């Protein structure tokens, strides 16, 4: 029985030797690179030089993924992706698609009683009138305002940044519920 198995394996060897390994097709060449209509405040012409993908070079998923990462690191886009389309045999067009963050057109504070708005603005919030509304920066500013209140003895403060559509952007409303002032009168042992 062992002999039959050896013979069977040796009989297959000539058949396996005759099969040619499949050649991998070369990657398509990038014939054109463009940005979609999402590049509004920062035009495509200004962003393009910061990307590594180039016309006339082979398409590389790794390079394009790196370009997407660079776009997101600019801090101006809520999302970035790409699309390809065959332009000719062996050639593709590459289009970068982005969604920019909204511009803050209005900033209001409600609930300020014990702290002045100018005191909060002096602490340097990151989102101001005319800046882009990055959700991460909104979270940091919420913590900044809360920390300002904590330092003044308002340990039960509640801070919420609410965003609503506005003409050509968004309105940011800081709703603050200060809560009671807390102070330690004395410590007894």
């Amino acid at each position: 029985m062992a002999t039959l198995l050896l013979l069977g394996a040796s009989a297959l060897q000539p058949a396996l030797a005759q099969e040619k390994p499949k050649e991998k097709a070369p990657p398509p060449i990038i014939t054109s690179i463009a940005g979609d209509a999402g590049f509004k405040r920062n035009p495509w012409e200004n962003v393009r030089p910061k990307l590594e993908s180039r016309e006339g070079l082979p398409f590389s998923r790794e390079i394009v993924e790196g370009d997407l990462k660079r776009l997101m690191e600019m801090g101006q886009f809520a999302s970035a992706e790409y699309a390809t389309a065959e332009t000719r045999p062996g050639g593709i067009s590459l289009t970068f698609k982005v969604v920019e963050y909204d511009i803050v057109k209005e900033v209001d504070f409600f609930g300020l009683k014990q702290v002045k708005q100018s005191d909060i603005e002096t602490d340097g919030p990151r989102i101001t009138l005319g800046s882009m509304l990055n959700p991460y920066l909104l979270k940091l500013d919420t913590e900044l305002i809360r920390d300002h209140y904590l330092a003044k003895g308002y340990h039960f403060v509640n801070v919420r940044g609410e965003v609503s559509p506005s003409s050509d952007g968004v309105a940011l409303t800081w709703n603050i519920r200060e809560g009671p002032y807390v102070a330690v009168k004395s410590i007894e042992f």
Side-chain angles (χ1 to χ4, degrees):
M1 189 168 239
T3 317
L4 287 175
L5 287 174
L6 289 174
L7 287 175
S10 63
L12 288 176
Q13 284 178 349
L16 291 174
Q18 291 176 359
E19 287 183 30
K20 291 183 179 178
K22 293 182 182 179
E23 292 182 21
K24 188 175 179 183
I29 301 298
I30 300 172
T31 58
S32 68
I33 301 176
D36 74 343
F39 292 94
K40 297 174 188 166
R41 289 177 288 280
N42 195 354
W44 169 247
E45 296 78 32
N46 295 346
V47 174
R48 175 68 190 95
K50 297 174 180 159
L51 306 180
E52 288 186 21
S53 296
R54 297 284 180 254
E55 294 166 346
L57 294 179
F59 173 79
S60 166
R61 188 173 311 278
E62 292 80 23
I63 291 175
V64 173
E65 292 294 331
D67 287 340
L68 293 178
K69 184 178 178 184
R70 278 182 280 289
L71 286 170
M72 294 304 293
E73 286 172 349
M74 295 172 94
Q76 300 173 355
F77 306 110
S79 66
E81 58 184 28
Y82 72 93
T84 59
E86 187 173 357
T87 57
R88 60 177 169 78
I92 61 167
S93 67
L94 176 61
T95 304
F96 287 93
K97 300 177 179 189
V98 296
V99 175
E100 291 182 332
Y101 287 124
D102 291 318
I103 294 291
V104 177
K105 295 292 185 175
E106 190 177 329
V107 179
D108 294 312
F109 289 84
F110 289 106
L112 295 174
K113 294 178 185 135
Q114 303 301 320
V115 174
K116 294 178 186 173
Q117 181 174 334
S118 60
D119 291 344
I120 292 173
E121 290 171 343
T122 303
D123 283 347
R126 292 157 191 87
I127 297 177
T128 57
L129 192 63
S131 66
M132 293 188 173
L133 183 69
N134 182 326
Y136 176 68
L137 297 180
L138 182 65
K139 181 179 183 225
L140 291 178
D141 282 353
T142 302
E143 292 171 8
L144 180 96
I145 295 169
R146 180 167 162 48
D147 290 346
H148 185 84
Y149 270 93
L150 291 174
K152 296 206 177 269
Y154 292 91
H155 295 276
F156 295 100
V157 67
N158 185 351
V159 179
R160 275 191 348 251
E162 295 180 2
V163 178
S164 58
S166 169
S167 62
D168 298 332
V170 293
L172 172 59
T173 304
W174 291 107
N175 287 307
I176 301 167
R177 200 174 70 226
E178 293 177 339
Y181 174 75
V182 178
V184 177
K185 284 188 179 181
S186 67
I187 299 175
E188 295 179 22
F189 290 100

